[in-house]
Amino acid sequence: QVQLVESGGASVQAGGSLRISCLASGISTSNAYMGWFRQAPGKGREGVATISPIRTTYYHDAVKGRFTISRDNADNTLFLQMTTLKPEDTAMYYCAAAVSNRGYSWLNPASFSYWGQGTQVTVSS
């Protein structure tokens, strides 16, 4: 049974930094596409950053240069380092995993089969 558990969400000031984590079990992060998605109130879920088994990364244009996705295969953990945070980054952040290619973009939530419960990131101005 695959489980993804996010942690590290917090309330921060604009311009600040935060790192969120996702501990995976029942799946190997080294063999899966892993990703971070976010959903703000009243909006759809959008892809933030994803990483392939060979560490190819994909980023939403709005976070390029500010966010970095990485993983620690030894600990089966996915990270998202966020810097220069903006109020528009406020959202619930979800970790996701995929073990097969469904033919969608890797920033499309439809590509991912497994989801965590989310961790809240709030950025105040």
Side-chain angles (χ1 to χ4, degrees):
Q1 182 181 356
V2 176
Q3 281 194 313
L4 303 172
V5 180
E6 302 94 336
S7 62
S11 295
V12 298
Q13 296 268 340
S17 299
L18 191 66
R19 189 177 80 160
I20 56 177
S21 304
C22 170
L23 178 62
S25 59
I27 191 171
S28 172
T29 57
S30 62
N31 295 328
Y33 275 80
M34 303 292 298
W36 288 101
F37 293 78
R38 66 186 181 188
Q39 187 165 14
K43 295 188 176 182
R45 192 169 295 191
E46 66 177 6
V48 176
T50 58
I51 186 167
S52 77
I54 59 169
R55 301 184 188 272
T56 301
T57 55
Y58 307 87
Y59 292 95
H60 190 291
D61 285 346
V63 307
K64 283 180 181 177
R66 299 190 297 123
F67 290 11
T68 303
I69 188 171
S70 63
R71 66 170 192 255
D72 184 332
N73 291 334
D75 290 339
N76 228 32
T77 303
L78 181 73
F79 302 100
L80 185 68
Q81 178 69 50
M82 301 180 285
T83 63
T84 320
L85 282 159
K86 304 176 181 180
E88 51 264 42
D89 294 319
T90 295
M92 185 72 78
Y93 282 71
Y94 296 92
C95 174
V99 294
S100 61
N101 188 336
R102 294 178 170 179
Y104 300 104
S105 158
W106 287 112
L107 288 174
N108 187 330
S111 290
F112 290 80
S113 306
Y114 305 103
W115 294 87
Q117 294 300 305
T119 187
Q120 178 68 38
V121 174
T122 302
V123 184
S124 58
S125 58

